[in-house]
């Protein structure tokens, strides 16, 4: 299973998921590890400041930085490596194609999004949604709608490069309330092209969608449930 | 003094030492006996830290385990495991499908169940944990797989310090 995961990811990283390779697919080198400023993250944490005892969902997978940062604010953290779970359920190399298999979709939803209603006061989805097929993406977003409490926020990232077939896959580590350390872990196929209109359509049940454009081909989105 | 073995280190198996077939739970105080006639090669498992019991990698236990000393689980356990005042270590071969409660829990293997460590939780690189964690402190190494929630609860010592700041100040 791990072997499949390794080849699917086509490499990994420095840091988290350290068992994976260090070069991208087809010999394509991975982008370097770097820290970036995130207005989306800043806004996300502003929305919960002065509150404690919240239950937050983090799709980055458990790591010391995120766990320490969030629990030090007095919150409870629910953590899962969403992209890794995706690969473990659907397998390589047809991850996107297999996302049309109803049996596997049910299994995936049960294992990874089987939370009770109104479980969370916020969710850090990072860039996980862009690796889902349109069908599974909509199911996931709708499931999140049921899982997140009203007026809570989601933070999601979408790459803006519409020509890219493969996107770099990162581990997201919170450095502080507005800075993230991005550790490359490989390459993965993008489920679809995302522009602002497409993103608004995906989150049409939510109260609002706010975009932060950045200089590094990443669109940060804050969505209010 | 400098070479003193740390008590809290998980015993590493030596590459040169053949491993025991370990067919039953052993404590460090038990004498490892074998029928020498049927065992031409002398084997042994490295000793667990002093004062700890070990469930070997060929052992499977279903039921409840209560321990009054540190416990190393390198086999399979289904049920519940408790060592309230002590440390439980899930070794690299350990597979635990149980709720686990202890003062300190170190995971190198796999746990499927909720865990509660009153003092510290330590999830090592290749560990796999699916379940909810309640602990006072947590360390997660990169590469570990975890799915579940993490609740940080103050230890009894921390609560005492908070409620009596003079104690904290006096300790400085």
């Amino acid at each position: 299973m791990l072997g499949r995961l390794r080849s699917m990811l086509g490499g990994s990283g420095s840091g988290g998921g350290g068992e994976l390779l260090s070069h991208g697919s087809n010999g394509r080198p991975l982008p370097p590890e770097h820290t970036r400023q995130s207005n989306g993250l800043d806004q996300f944490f502003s929305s919960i400041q002065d509150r404690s005892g919240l239950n937050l969902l983090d799709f980055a997978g458990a790591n010391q930085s995120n766990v320490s940062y969030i629990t030090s604010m007095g919150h409870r953290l629910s953590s899962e490596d969403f992209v890794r779970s995706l690969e473990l359920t659907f397998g390589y190399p047809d991850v996107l194609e297999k996302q049309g298999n109803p049996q596997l979709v049910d299994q995936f939803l049960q294992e990874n999004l089987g939370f009770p209603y109104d479980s969370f006061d916020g969710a850090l989805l990072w860039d996980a949604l862009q690796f889902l097929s349109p069908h599974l993406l909509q199911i996931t977003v709708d499931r999140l709608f049921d899982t997140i409490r009203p007026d809570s926020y989601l933070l999601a990232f979408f790459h803006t490069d519409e020509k890219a077939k493969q996107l770099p896959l990162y581990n997201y580590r919170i450095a502080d309330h507005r800075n993230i350390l991005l550790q490359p872990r490989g390459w993965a196929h993008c489920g679809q092209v995302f522009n602002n209109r497409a993103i608004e359509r995906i989150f049409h049940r939510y109260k609002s969608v706010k975009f932060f454009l950045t200089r590094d081909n990443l669109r940060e989105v804050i969505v209010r449930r | 003094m400098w070479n003193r073995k740390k008590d809290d280190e998980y015993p590493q198996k030596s590459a040169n030492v053949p491993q025991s077939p370990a067919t039953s739970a052993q404590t460090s105080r038990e004498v490892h006996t074998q029928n020498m006639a049927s065992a031409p090669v002398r084997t042994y498992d490295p000793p667990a830290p002093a004062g700890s019991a070990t469930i070997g990698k060929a052992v499977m236990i279903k039921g409840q385990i209560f321990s009054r000393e540190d416990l190393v689980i390198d086999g399979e356990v289904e049920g519940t495991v408790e060592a309230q005042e002590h440390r439980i270590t899930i070794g690299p071969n350990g597979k635990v499908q149980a709720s686990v409660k202890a003062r300190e829990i170190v995971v190198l293997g796999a746990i499927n169940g909720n865990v509660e460590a009153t003092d510290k939780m330590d999830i090592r690189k290749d560990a796999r944990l699916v379940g909810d964690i309640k602990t006072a402190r947590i360390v997660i190494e990169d590469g570990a797989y975890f799915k579940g929630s993490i609740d940080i609860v103050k230890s009894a010592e921390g609560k005492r310090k908070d409620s009596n700041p003079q104690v904290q100040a006096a300790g400085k």
Side-chain angles (χ1 to χ4, degrees):
Chain A
M1 187 69 91
L2 257 181
R4 268 196 310 179
L5 180 65
R6 278 191 196 105
S7 49
M8 161 67 196
L9 292 177
S12 137
S14 39
E19 77 278 6
L20 302 166
L21 306 174
S22 59
H23 288 286
S25 56
N26 302 323
R28 202 170 158 194
L30 288 169
E33 177 176 311
H34 61 285
T35 302
R36 71 187 297 281
Q37 194 175 311
S38 168
N39 291 324
L41 188 68
D42 191 28
Q43 170 123 8
F44 180 86
F45 282 127
S46 299
S47 74
I48 57 171
Q49 76 179 17
D50 303 328
R51 298 169 70 190
S52 67
L54 303 181
N55 195 8
L56 303 179
L57 178 63
D58 180 10
F59 274 180
N63 63 82
Q64 192 67 51
S65 318
N66 296 14
V67 169
S68 297
Y69 192 81
I70 289 170
T71 57
S72 70
M73 295 166 79
H75 304 309
R76 182 177 197 239
L77 178 69
S78 288
S79 174
E80 69 177 81
D81 191 336
F82 192 79
V83 176
R84 193 166 172 182
S85 298
L86 197 66
E87 290 148 4
L88 289 172
T89 306
F90 297 103
Y92 184 77
D94 314 314
V95 183
L96 283 170
E97 287 77 6
K98 285 184 185 163
Q99 288 177 27
N101 180 330
Q103 229 173 338
L104 289 178
V105 168
D106 281 350
Q107 182 194 331
F108 179 76
L109 295 174
Q110 201 176 340
E111 287 176 1
N112 300 290
L113 290 162
F115 305 108
Y117 281 80
D118 290 352
S119 294
F120 300 108
D121 303 284
L124 297 164
L125 310 179
W126 309 111
D127 63 355
L129 298 183
Q130 62 189 353
F131 303 111
L132 299 172
S133 67
H135 170 67
L136 185 56
L137 173 62
Q138 200 57 59
I139 296 174
T140 301
V141 169
D142 289 345
R143 191 62 75 92
L144 286 168
F145 183 87
D146 296 333
T147 302
I148 308 288
R149 294 197 179 98
D151 294 318
S152 300
Y153 287 89
L154 308 181
L155 172 66
F157 294 163
F158 296 92
H159 287 266
T160 54
D161 186 354
E162 296 186 1
K163 288 177 188 167
K165 287 181 182 168
Q166 283 194 319
L167 297 171
L169 200 57
Y170 291 105
N171 289 315
Y172 290 89
R173 308 284 189 250
I174 300 170
D176 59 43
H177 70 104
R178 64 181 314 175
N179 285 293
I180 317 162
L181 174 67
L182 276 74
Q183 295 176 328
R185 59 195 276 201
W187 297 90
H189 288 280
C190 184
Q192 60 178 292
V193 173
F194 296 95
N195 52 37
N196 287 8
R197 184 75 196 104
I199 294 168
E200 279 172 350
R201 266 202 306 272
I202 293 163
F203 292 103
H204 70 276
R205 292 177 69 193
Y206 292 74
K207 279 182 186 159
S208 67
V209 181
K210 186 174 177 181
F211 296 93
F212 295 94
L213 288 176
T214 63
R215 281 178 292 181
D216 55 355
N217 285 338
L218 203 63
R219 186 185 279 113
E220 299 189 357
V221 184
I222 280 280
V223 186
R224 188 174 177 201
R225 157 73 167 85
Chain B
M1 180 183 174
W2 300 108
N3 293 325
R4 201 169 121 196
K5 192 178 173 186
K6 283 183 191 168
D7 249 9
D8 59 355
E9 272 179 5
Y10 182 78
Q12 298 293 319
K13 287 189 193 311
S14 161
N16 299 325
V17 181
Q19 291 166 13
S20 154
T23 54
S24 64
Q26 301 158 3
T27 70
S28 58
R29 290 188 298 279
E30 283 175 356
V31 179
H32 187 95
T33 57
Q34 278 195 337
N35 180 346
M36 296 308 288
S38 62
V41 181
R42 193 172 173 187
T43 64
Y44 76 99
D45 266 352
S52 76
T54 301
I55 295 170
K57 65 180 174 186
V59 180
M60 185 184 176
I61 296 175
K62 284 188 183 183
Q64 294 177 306
I65 298 174
F66 295 94
S67 179
R68 283 193 210 138
E69 60 185 345
D70 291 352
L71 177 64
V72 177
I73 300 174
D74 214 21
E76 289 183 41
V77 173
E78 255 182 70
T80 59
V81 188
E82 275 188 45
Q84 292 286 11
E85 301 297 321
H86 301 276
R87 177 172 58 233
I88 293 177
T89 303
I90 313 300
N93 302 300
K95 286 179 189 161
V96 175
Q97 186 129 20
S99 62
V100 182
K101 278 186 191 176
R103 176 178 54 79
E104 187 178 335
I105 300 171
V106 182
V107 191
L108 295 92
I111 299 183
N112 198 335
N114 298 338
V115 296
E116 192 175 334
T118 50
D119 183 25
K120 188 183 172 191
M121 181 84 209
D122 194 346
I123 306 174
R124 301 283 174 86
K125 192 168 91 78
D126 293 318
R128 183 185 166 86
L129 200 163
V130 178
D132 296 337
I133 296 173
K134 214 181 244 188
T135 184
R137 293 180 292 154
I138 186 164
V139 175
I140 302 176
E141 284 185 8
D142 275 348
Y145 180 81
F146 169 69
K147 186 190 288 191
S149 67
I150 299 170
D151 237 335
I152 300 295
V153 288
K154 282 187 179 173
S155 63
E157 194 184 338
K159 280 180 187 167
R160 272 200 302 275
K161 279 180 183 173
D162 276 359
S163 61
N164 185 4
Q166 285 177 339
V167 174
Q168 206 171 7
K172 281 181 183 173

